[in-house]
Amino acid sequence: MNAAVLQKTNAAVTMPGPCPVITTERLVLRPHKLSDAPAIAESLGDFKVSRMLARVPQPYDRQDALDWLVPQASGLLPDWMLAITTGDDIHVGVVGLEQRHGGWRLGYWLNRLYWGRGYMTEAVAGTLERFFRRMPEVRIYSGAFADNLASLNVQKKLGFRIIDANQIFSISQNRMVPHIETMLLPEDFRPADRP
């Protein structure tokens, strides 16, 4: 087998395919579009949201959102970055799986006005369920800042286990922050635990 064919074969085995549209009980998760920029800027401009994320600057504005959206909306990235909507196509958050450091990493955030309703557990469960159908043997890594108990509870409900504790730099907080690292094996995934 020549190198080009081998490379294509390996890519098909290690990539999940294009970012899908996923419908759950209360949500529609879809690929991003450039018109999501104002909603993203509004959500991530809220320090209570951005302080929980390692790679989001403060202040955060529409141009920051566009800078992130352009590669996402191109459809050329292998990552799954899904816009969370409540069915009215209004962007209220993100759930994503991206290849980082040789593995798949889960990340997510939600506009603060939608906290406490079980939306994130539902969005993450729906995304992982579809991802595991395409990539059944893949481990998923994630984590959260140690004081983000809501995020750690989402992961625990779905079967993630703690594998490490460390400190990482938070751009929005401009300091090192205690962080809990987690991992999900496909056989430990509990999709039935969503609301």
Side-chain angles (χ1 to χ4, degrees):
M1 191 178 298
N2 71 33
V5 172
L6 183 60
Q7 185 176 14
K8 276 188 173 181
T9 303
N10 286 340
V13 171
T14 60
M15 295 296 153
C19 192
V21 173
I22 301 169
T23 302
T24 67
E25 185 177 329
R26 299 177 295 167
L27 305 171
V28 176
L29 313 174
R30 60 159 173 80
H32 282 88
K33 44 193 177 181
L34 295 179
S35 59
D36 293 328
I40 292 171
E42 180 183 334
S43 294
L44 294 181
D46 181 346
F47 186 68
K48 289 191 177 190
V49 176
S50 63
R51 74 171 287 281
M52 298 297 182
L53 305 169
R55 300 183 290 167
V56 175
Q58 273 297 304
Y60 192 93
D61 61 28
R62 187 175 181 278
Q63 187 59 53
D64 292 313
L66 283 170
D67 290 345
W68 181 80
L69 276 170
V70 168
Q72 301 305 322
S74 73
L76 300 176
L77 298 176
D79 305 334
W80 282 13
M81 288 295 162
L82 295 156
I84 301 171
T85 73
T86 56
D88 54 6
D89 206 35
I90 302 298
H91 190 289
V92 300
V94 171
V95 60
L97 287 154
E98 64 180 323
Q99 264 201 326
R100 285 184 37 211
H101 311 294
W104 286 96
R105 187 150 189 97
L106 170 73
Y108 48 86
W109 59 264
L110 193 64
N111 180 298
R112 184 165 46 112
L113 299 176
Y114 295 85
W115 289 1
R117 301 182 195 180
Y119 285 142
M120 191 51 73
T121 301
E122 185 175 334
V124 172
T127 302
L128 289 173
E129 198 166 38
R130 177 73 62 90
F131 189 82
F132 282 138
R133 277 194 256 152
R134 295 186 184 184
M135 307 280 287
E137 303 298 320
V138 173
R139 293 177 181 196
I140 306 292
Y141 295 90
S142 193
F145 291 147
D147 66 344
N148 189 349
L149 299 181
S151 187
L152 291 167
N153 283 335
V154 165
Q155 293 172 40
K156 182 179 178 183
K157 283 182 210 174
L158 297 174
F160 282 82
R161 66 177 81 158
I162 294 173
I163 58 170
D164 199 5
N166 54 27
Q167 291 205 8
I168 62 173
F169 188 76
S170 165
I171 294 172
S172 65
Q173 296 184 55
N174 194 32
R175 66 183 179 96
M176 296 299 287
V177 178
H179 189 264
I180 307 297
E181 291 287 332
T182 63
M183 179 184 68
L184 176 65
L185 298 173
E187 60 268 22
D188 293 337
F189 178 47
R190 295 190 302 261
D193 287 352
R194 67 185 158 179

